[in-house]
Amino acid sequence: MSRSGSYTSSPLLASPTPVWRSKFIVAAIALGFAGLAARAAYVQVVGNDFFQRQGEVRFARTLELPANRGRILDRSGLILASSVQAASLWAIPEDVERDKTKLRQLAKLLELPLAELEKRLTDEDKSFVWLKRQVDEPVARQVLALDIKGVYSRKEYKRQYPEGEAAAHVVGFTNVEDTGQEGMELAFNQQLSGRAGSRRVIKDRLGRVVEDVGEQVLPVDGRDLTLSIDSKIQFFAYQKLRDAVLEHKAKAGSVVVLDVQTGEVLALANYPSYVPDKRQNLSGAQLRNRALTDTFEPGSTMKPFIAALALGKGMVKPESVLQTAPGRLTIGGSTISDAHPHGLLTVNEIIQKSSNVGTVKLAMQMQPREMWEMYTQLGFGQKPLVPFPGAVSGRLRAYKTWRPIEQATMSYGYGLSSSLFQLARAYSVFAHDGEQLPVSLLKSSTPALGVRVMDAQHAIAVRHMLHMAAGPGGTGPKAQVLGYSVGGKTGTAHKQEGKGYADKKYRGFFVGMAPIDQPRVVVAVMIDEPSNGRYFGGDVAAPVFSATVQQTLRIMGVQPDMAVKPQVVARAVEESF
């Protein structure tokens, strides 16, 4: 009671309260409520779009639903490139716990220096950083097992290439974003990529999906691509090419295999090569598809075209005789020589013995325009009509600018340039009885229509010359194949260096076909800068042709057209020769 009495008798309570104070407090509260109501109206009505955008920037995300990239297949349906799921590791730097032991283990699993890992985790972006993309699944599991706060995993697609370095220059590769960078991966990137889908979601600060908003757009997977390449032929051709380059200590080499009945490319190999899904420390020399991107003077491989043109003009017959003695010919102050003087030679023998003098004597009876038109019809000086990045056109100058000595040298392959692919396609004219088919890197389902370049009888006559050139007494006996008749032409050309030619740098070629009466394939081989004592095309390139043709015809199921025993005898003669 005493407490109550003392409380109620307090002078503070007893003093009168001014009326204005209570009114002021009520007015202040009312004004506060009015301000809140006005702010709410502004946020909800007037500035609604702005605040919606700001909310979406902070929490709403559009997730890309990646499309599965289409496969690349060989002509039999075997996989050359396909996509598999792979884990990519990322982190929120500001959330990552700085446990030195765990970070050291993480750096070891990611194959990164610890300093590099720490640098990534201290970059300006505190909310997201890639640690490593497309790692193997076991590695991803070990990383997540470390249970490091702020480190997460995301599923992506990784490209795999089962044929490895053998088919690398044809197939190419993609980058980490699954976009084509080389080869057919680049040429048909749009078809292979498909179309990505999307999913609109709300995420929390840890990147976890809280809620879906809006409709999903499903991805459209990329379409498969079927190449004309036969992976068995491709692998075998690559092996034989690699062995030849290493044996002859050469700089590089290429081989092209064409099906002359369809125009399809069965193999296109280069060495040195690379493994498409392991591209660390690659050089440009490894990446180049030399068969399509490198040009060179084709040398003596051009001589059969001059013989065919001479036959077509009615200037000579295969048995016509020309005098090539004394093995030298001077034109415009320059002397053209044969490697060995021969004397009287038939047109057949000019090609068999690869006589420069005989070929020039045929060419100088023609108009420059006639030679130029023949070369142009064969595709020289024009970019090949194949969907491959970097394919080159080579060089063929306008005939009006040719001097006599230039017309002469162009007849045996100097003064113009070609890729090995162009050379193989040109020889398909002889194999297809004077018609040239369009060449394709894709499997063809319909017969190709050819363009006639020369009469069939003249193409067959030149095939006979090529058969002689690849046999005993010719320049390419090492091209012979057990059980199959072959025909082809060697070529050995000095490499250009500056404004002239290098004394001891060569390219050796062999281009030919088999079986000779009804050819199924054309095979072209080039060995660049052999430096182990031999450099002639008949020594370095012809053996690769022989092995490749034999395996190719067997894989294609072509029946041998020659008895085995006589062919073995021919080889014995060749070795003694």
Side-chain angles (χ1 to χ4, degrees):
M1 293 297 293
S2 62
R3 286 182 183 176
S4 176
S6 62
Y7 177 76
T8 54
S9 60
S10 170
L12 291 173
L13 294 176
S15 62
T17 302
V19 176
W20 65 267
R21 183 182 297 176
S22 59
K23 291 181 180 181
F24 174 77
I25 292 172
V26 171
I29 293 172
L31 186 61
F33 274 109
L36 290 173
R39 181 61 178 170
Y42 176 78
V43 170
Q44 296 294 327
V45 180
V46 180
N48 182 59
D49 292 342
F50 171 78
F51 290 102
Q52 287 278 11
R53 286 196 300 271
Q54 293 302 309
E56 288 179 1
V57 167
R58 288 164 173 76
F59 301 107
R61 296 287 185 271
T62 299
L63 301 182
E64 183 181 277
L65 302 177
N68 191 6
R69 190 174 178 85
R71 300 173 301 170
I72 298 179
L73 310 172
D74 85 337
R75 62 184 303 104
S76 301
L78 298 178
I79 294 175
L80 300 176
S82 64
S83 295
V84 296
Q85 280 196 344
S88 291
L89 301 167
W90 61 282
I92 301 176
E94 62 183 358
D95 290 346
V96 174
E97 57 178 305
R98 306 295 167 154
D99 185 316
K100 280 286 185 182
T101 302
K102 288 186 175 182
L103 289 181
R104 195 173 290 109
Q105 291 176 310
L106 176 61
K108 184 177 180 181
L109 288 171
L110 298 179
E111 298 178 345
L112 290 173
L114 180 60
E116 173 65 20
L117 176 62
E118 290 179 333
K119 181 178 180 297
R120 294 188 186 187
L121 295 175
T122 53
D123 281 346
E124 292 183 6
D125 190 344
K126 303 296 184 183
S127 61
F128 179 89
V129 65
W130 286 114
L131 299 179
K132 192 169 185 179
R133 300 184 69 174
Q134 299 181 356
V135 300
D136 294 334
E137 194 61 36
V139 174
R141 286 198 297 268
Q142 292 179 65
V143 168
L144 296 178
L146 293 175
D147 196 26
I148 302 175
K149 182 182 176 183
V151 174
Y152 306 95
S153 173
R154 172 184 172 181
K155 293 292 183 183
E156 291 189 313
Y157 285 109
K158 181 181 180 180
R159 208 67 165 156
Q160 287 188 335
Y161 302 92
E163 292 300 313
E165 60 186 16
H169 290 106
V170 178
V171 178
F173 58 86
T174 62
N175 61 12
V176 74
E177 301 292 345
D178 224 16
T179 302
Q181 300 296 295
E182 291 285 345
M184 302 303 274
E185 291 275 32
L186 172 59
F188 289 88
N189 184 63
Q190 186 173 0
Q191 173 182 328
L192 291 165
S193 295
R195 188 172 66 250
S198 61
R199 175 189 175 196
R200 191 72 174 164
V201 299
I202 301 295
K203 280 189 172 185
D204 65 10
R205 65 182 298 274
L206 298 180
R208 297 173 300 196
V209 175
V210 175
E211 180 184 1
D212 281 300
V213 291
E215 294 183 1
Q216 284 191 21
V217 177
L218 297 177
V220 178
D221 290 341
R223 289 178 290 160
D224 292 346
L225 184 67
T226 302
L227 304 185
S228 61
I229 298 295
D230 186 306
S231 58
K232 296 184 181 67
I233 298 174
Q234 176 78 21
F235 180 74
F236 189 84
Y238 173 77
Q239 277 192 322
K240 292 302 176 183
L241 177 69
R242 178 193 61 193
D243 294 347
V245 170
L246 296 177
E247 176 188 350
H248 298 290
K249 297 182 180 178
K251 181 179 179 181
S254 300
V255 59
V256 178
V257 181
L258 298 181
D259 184 332
V260 297
Q261 292 189 357
T262 64
E264 294 172 302
V265 180
L266 300 179
L268 196 160
N270 299 274
Y271 187 85
S273 186
Y274 62 96
V275 180
D277 46 6
K278 296 178 181 177
R279 302 188 298 276
Q280 295 83 1
N281 303 318
L282 275 184
S283 66
Q286 290 173 279
L287 286 173
R288 286 208 318 272
N289 189 336
R290 297 169 184 269
L292 278 161
T293 64
D294 286 17
T295 61
F296 50 85
E297 292 180 310
S300 295
T301 56
M302 298 300 292
K303 293 174 182 176
F305 301 115
I306 297 300
L309 184 55
L311 293 176
K313 287 177 58 60
M315 293 165 39
V316 293
K317 294 181 179 180
E319 299 79 18
S320 299
V321 178
L322 281 79
Q323 179 61 264
T324 66
R328 298 186 303 277
L329 184 65
T330 300
I331 298 177
S334 300
T335 300
I336 294 166
S337 304
D338 281 337
H340 305 286
H342 296 294
L344 293 173
L345 292 177
T346 66
V347 176
N348 284 335
E349 290 171 331
I350 287 173
I351 301 303
Q352 180 189 25
K353 304 295 184 182
S354 195
S355 169
N356 291 339
V357 173
T359 304
V360 170
K361 284 193 171 184
L362 289 175
M364 298 311 287
Q365 299 179 51
M366 307 171 187
Q367 295 297 319
R369 178 181 56 80
E370 294 169 332
M371 284 179 56
W372 180 86
E373 286 177 349
M374 165 67 82
Y375 288 172
T376 302
Q377 283 182 305
L378 292 166
F380 294 108
Q382 302 172 60
K383 187 174 180 179
L385 298 178
V386 289
F388 197 92
V392 294
S393 61
R395 183 170 180 263
L396 177 63
R397 289 178 23 240
Y399 65 88
K400 291 182 179 179
T401 67
W402 294 6
R403 294 177 296 152
I405 185 60
E406 291 172 328
Q407 180 181 352
T409 59
M410 285 189 190
S411 71
Y412 58 90
Y414 284 89
L416 72 159
S417 65
S418 163
S419 69
L420 189 68
F421 189 87
Q422 288 174 306
L423 199 55
R425 180 173 182 254
Y427 265 67
S428 70
V429 171
F430 300 133
H432 205 257
D433 294 344
E435 285 189 346
Q436 189 168 53
L437 297 179
V439 179
S440 175
L441 281 164
L442 302 180
K443 184 177 180 181
S444 177
S445 57
T446 57
L449 297 177
V451 176
R452 182 155 297 282
V453 177
M454 64 184 70
D455 288 343
Q457 60 179 350
H458 299 146
I460 294 170
V462 173
R463 276 215 307 269
H464 175 67
M465 299 176 195
L466 295 174
H467 183 48
M468 293 172 62
T475 56
K478 293 181 181 179
Q480 291 185 46
V481 176
L482 191 66
Y484 297 98
S485 60
V486 302
K489 187 70 188 71
T490 58
T492 306
H494 285 275
K495 291 189 68 173
Q496 286 184 311
E497 195 169 68
K499 294 184 178 180
Y501 293 91
D503 288 335
K504 296 182 179 180
K505 292 182 181 180
Y506 302 88
R507 284 190 177 95
F509 326 104
F510 192 90
V511 190
M513 61 209 66
I516 198 65
D517 289 329
Q518 292 182 320
R520 285 298 310 275
V521 294
V522 164
V523 176
V525 181
M526 184 274 290
I527 304 296
D528 186 11
E529 280 191 40
S531 60
N532 199 22
R534 293 180 293 174
Y535 57 84
F536 288 111
D539 290 325
V540 298
V544 179
F545 168 90
S546 174
T548 303
V549 165
Q550 187 162 50
Q551 188 69 13
T552 299
L553 294 180
R554 286 178 177 175
I555 291 172
M556 296 175 72
V558 178
Q559 293 298 314
D561 66 333
M562 294 180 65
V564 173
K565 187 175 181 180
Q567 188 72 4
V568 173
V569 172
R571 280 193 177 277
V573 171
E574 165 211 321
E575 289 170 4
S576 64
F577 177 83

